[in-house]
């Protein structure tokens, strides 16, 4: 496929014939069985499907975190897995934000340091990164929690720190894997509003994995994954 075709029609990311086989002991487990998926710029996409369907595996592959056994992922015209690991890590850090079901904050660092981390890795103006991280923590309602470590934050607060960290480098796309899975309804609503606002105001593209049908219904563009294949959805190629 030519690069111009991939960037046409507002497409930000494209996965082509993605297969992922895990080797466990003597067995080969085919978790993704040839996925074609198109993610459009500025849109919100939800991925739903039963437990074990391969949702997290797909998200990791689309987000540059896990190399597919076969197939390609194009982000902004570039085939992600054709880059050497270091370059891939750089692209990921700059263009992609991740919000995991479990926050994966670094336990020994404060909220502010966790949010700053991607900008430190990126090597952009340290002072600017610091100011932006502070601004973002204020924005997610944690102005009085800068110096708390993850163990000193509630679940909802940790997830808000994770959101701030995901957006600190101004990514073009955010992948969120069950971002509200561990939150009560108040914190879930707050987090979802934050994600919606990022999409509406900043135009950040969102790909959200969720079990929650309400969320999927609200966000639209539903992609259903079952047993490693896409069953249906408005946004299938
Ligand atoms: N590193 C791995 N090695 C072996 N098998 C794995 C690995 N990661 C995932 N799997 C298997 O692949 C399948 C899909 O896993 P995945 O985490 O993508 O599912 P999921 O759709 O996200 O499920 P859930 O809704 O429960 O989070 C599961 O059966 C899982 O056991
Ligand atoms: Mg999962």
């Amino acid at each position: 496929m030519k690069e111009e075709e991939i960037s046409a029609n507002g497409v930000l990311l494209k996965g082509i014939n993605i297969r992922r086989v895990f080797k466990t002991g003597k067995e080969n487990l085919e978790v993704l069985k040839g996925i074609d998926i198109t993610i459009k710029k500025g849109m919100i996409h939800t991925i739903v499907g039963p437990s074990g369907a391969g949702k997290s595996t797909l998200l990791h592959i689309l987000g540059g975190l896990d190399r597919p056994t076969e197939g390609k992922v194009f982000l902004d015209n570039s085939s992600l897995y054709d880059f050497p690991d270091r370059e891939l890590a750089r692209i990921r850090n700059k263009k992609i934000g991740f919000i995991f079901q479990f926050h994966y904050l670094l336990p020994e660092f404060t909220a502010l340091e966790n949010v700053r981390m991607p900008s430190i890795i990126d090597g952009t103006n340290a002072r600017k990164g610091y100011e932006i991280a502070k601004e973002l923590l204020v924005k997610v309602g944690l102005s009085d929690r800068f110096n708390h470590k993850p163990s000193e934050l509630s679940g909802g607060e940790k997830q808000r720190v994770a959101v701030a960290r995901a957006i600190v480098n101004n990514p073009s796309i955010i992948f969120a894997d069950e971002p509200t899975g561990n939150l009560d309804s108040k914190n879930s609503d707050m987090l979802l509003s934050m994600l919606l606002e990022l999409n509406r105001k900043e135009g950040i593209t969102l790909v959200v994995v969720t079990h929650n049908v309400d969320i999927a219904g609200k966000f639209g563009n539903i992609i259903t994954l079952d047993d490693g294949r896409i069953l249906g959805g408005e946004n299938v190629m």
Side-chain angles (χ1 to χ4, degrees), residues 99 136-145 154-164 167 179-200 206 212 215 218-219:
I99 301 165
L136 288 175
L137 278 175
V138 172
K139 203 169 159 189
V140 299
L142 294 174
S143 51
D144 50 358
R145 295 287 187 276
S154 76
E157 289 168 348
K158 279 189 273 231
Q159 208 57 330
R160 281 185 270 155
V161 174
V163 173
I167 57 181
T180 62
N182 286 314
L183 304 180
D184 65 13
S185 60
K186 187 166 160 251
N187 275 297
S188 290
D189 288 348
M190 195 189 296
L191 191 112
L192 291 176
S193 310
M194 267 161 42
L195 289 177
L196 280 172
E197 197 181 311
L198 285 169
N199 174 259
R200 288 203 187 118
L206 295 178
N212 186 326
I215 295 175
K218 207 184 278 181
F219 281 0

Side-chain angles (χ1 to χ4, degrees), residues 108-118 120 137 146 149:
E108 65 274 34
F109 292 96
T110 65
L112 187 59
E113 288 163 343
N114 266 284
V115 176
R116 278 187 73 197
M117 205 55 78
I120 293 172
L137 278 175
F146 286 178
K149 292 187 175 162

Side-chain angles (χ1 to χ4, degrees), residues 23 33-34 43 74 113-114 119 123 141 153 169 190 222-223:
K23 288 191 195 330
K33 301 174 177 172
M43 307 266 286
F74 290 91
E113 288 163 343
N114 266 284
S119 64
L153 295 167
N169 277 354
M190 195 189 296
I222 301 169
I223 297 161

Side-chain angles (χ1 to χ4, degrees), residues 17-20 29-35 226-229:
N17 191 29
I18 294 170
R19 285 182 68 242
R20 181 68 168 102
L29 183 65
E30 190 177 14
V31 169
L32 299 177
K33 301 174 177 172
I35 301 276
D226 195 5
D227 193 24
R229 297 180 203 278

Side-chain angles (χ1 to χ4, degrees), residues 22 24 29 31 50-57 211:
F22 289 116
T24 45
L29 183 65
V31 169
S51 179
K55 304 182 297 294
S56 296
T57 306
H211 277 121

